Amino acid sequence: MINFEEKTAYTVEDLRRIVHLLRAPGGCPWDGAQTHESIRRNFLEEAYEVAEAIDEKNPAHLKEELGDVLLQVLFHASIEEDAGRFTLDDVADGICKKLIFRHPHVFGGAVATPDSWEELKRQEKGQTTYTATLQSVAKSLPGLWRAEKIQAKAEKAGFEWPNVQAAMDKLTEELEELQTAVADHSNVEEELGDLLFAAVKIARFFQIDAEDALAGTCEKFIRRFAGVEAAVTAQGRDMRELDVSQLMALWNREKHPENEERKGNHHEQD
């Protein structure tokens, strides 16, 4: 058993020490056995939970989830410190230098311009071509998000449709190519990817986050699905007992409730 001083309030340094003790011999066997790869998904999940707390506008939840992300940062840094490659202070040193370099208008007396941040990033990373900026977009990002960032960087090189109609024409073209691929039972994955990439372009023209748009559709689907299930349950049946046409009729009723309301009013008048 490890003795640790009880406090009314702990600090980041306390958390750093707790992580070290958990991973040290005599600590927690599970914590000591973890690697960057084994807890990689944990980091992503915690980051998404922070995003959810932000969307909820819930400070208490946000505080908790930020703590979980901070734990992940300290955990990964602890793994590297044990391996002798770098420490948490090295991590802090790197981000401090990056912030100072990217804010010359604050720390160096320069004048900020709309393009200065991106230009400084390119200098910092040694990117000498536009292609290099596209290649720097993290492959681990959600697909729609990554597509948006790649397209935004390509736009800085002048590689952009002149208007939304041109982008819509491209979307139609990609849809036709997907239909051909489906009919031929070949190349479907590639053509589907092209269609999604083209759809993201439309979102950018309207300054819509494609990930947010899809998330909204997912929530809408769940709401309508719940309505369909409730209607089926009210009949004393299971959804699997109905065929697709019956389910779609209920779906359309959920999708266009105003039609049902008009029918009700018509019957009342009769």
Side-chain angles (χ1 to χ4, degrees):
M1 179 176 178
I2 297 173
N3 292 321
F4 196 84
E5 179 186 359
E6 291 189 11
K7 297 182 177 181
T8 55
Y10 295 94
T11 66
V12 173
E13 188 55 40
D14 289 321
L15 178 57
R16 183 177 182 178
R17 183 166 170 246
I18 288 172
V19 170
H20 173 74
L21 292 172
L22 288 173
R23 298 193 63 257
C28 174
W30 185 90
D31 288 322
Q34 298 313 301
T35 65
H36 292 305
E37 292 73 21
S38 69
I39 58 173
R40 175 182 180 275
R41 180 165 179 162
N42 297 46
F43 206 139
L44 293 173
E45 289 176 354
E46 299 298 356
Y48 277 114
E49 288 175 9
V50 166
E52 185 168 334
I54 291 172
D55 293 341
E56 292 173 352
K57 302 187 187 304
N58 186 331
H61 189 196
L62 178 59
K63 179 179 69 172
E64 177 187 353
E65 298 303 342
L66 285 174
D68 290 341
V69 169
L70 181 58
L71 171 60
Q72 293 294 316
V73 172
L74 293 177
F75 208 105
H76 284 281
S78 178
I79 292 173
E80 287 299 305
E81 187 169 357
D82 288 347
R85 288 185 285 264
F86 64 77
T87 69
L88 183 64
D89 288 335
D90 293 325
V91 174
D93 174 69
I95 189 61
C96 286
K97 288 176 178 175
K98 179 187 292 187
L99 289 172
I100 292 169
F101 178 77
R102 292 187 184 179
H103 292 82
H105 55 291
V106 176
F107 301 108
V111 178
T113 66
D115 297 327
S116 59
W117 177 265
E118 287 296 327
E119 181 57 35
L120 287 168
K121 282 178 63 176
R122 290 181 63 175
Q123 291 179 28
E124 179 184 80
K125 297 179 182 296
Q127 297 168 347
T128 58
T129 65
Y130 290 111
T131 300
T133 66
L134 270 61
Q135 292 170 335
S136 70
V137 178
K139 295 181 177 66
S140 57
L141 285 174
L144 298 179
W145 190 355
R146 185 172 183 231
E148 178 191 322
K149 291 180 71 69
I150 289 173
Q151 291 177 9
K153 291 181 180 297
E155 182 182 5
K156 294 183 183 301
F159 197 83
E160 179 62 285
W161 293 114
N163 52 55
V164 69
Q165 185 56 54
M168 286 293 295
D169 292 342
K170 182 62 176 176
L171 182 66
T172 300
E173 176 189 324
E174 297 297 352
L175 176 58
E176 292 171 351
E177 291 180 5
L178 175 60
Q179 291 171 328
T180 300
V182 169
D184 295 341
H185 297 283
S186 65
N187 215 31
V188 174
E189 181 176 351
E190 179 180 350
E191 297 302 341
L192 178 60
D194 291 346
L195 180 67
L196 293 171
F197 194 85
V200 171
K201 180 70 71 174
I202 306 300
R204 290 190 58 250
F205 265 102
F206 289 96
Q207 297 182 325
I208 294 171
D209 185 319
E211 289 287 345
D212 287 346
L214 182 56
T217 294
C218 288
E219 292 303 312
K220 179 171 63 178
F221 180 89
I222 293 171
R223 287 195 304 272
R224 290 177 178 171
F225 185 92
V228 171
E229 184 172 21
V232 174
T233 301
Q235 299 173 14
R237 306 174 70 183
D238 184 279
M239 288 182 67
R240 290 171 295 182
E241 298 174 16
L242 279 69
D243 61 29
V244 174
S245 63
Q246 292 172 307
L247 290 173
M248 289 310 299
L250 293 171
W251 177 269
N252 288 329
R253 189 176 72 180
E254 290 298 319
K255 186 176 180 180
H256 301 292
E258 67 278 3
N259 292 340
E260 294 300 315
E261 184 178 344
R262 281 198 293 268
K263 288 181 183 178
N265 292 337
H266 179 70
H267 290 317
E268 287 175 8
Q269 291 172 3
D270 291 345

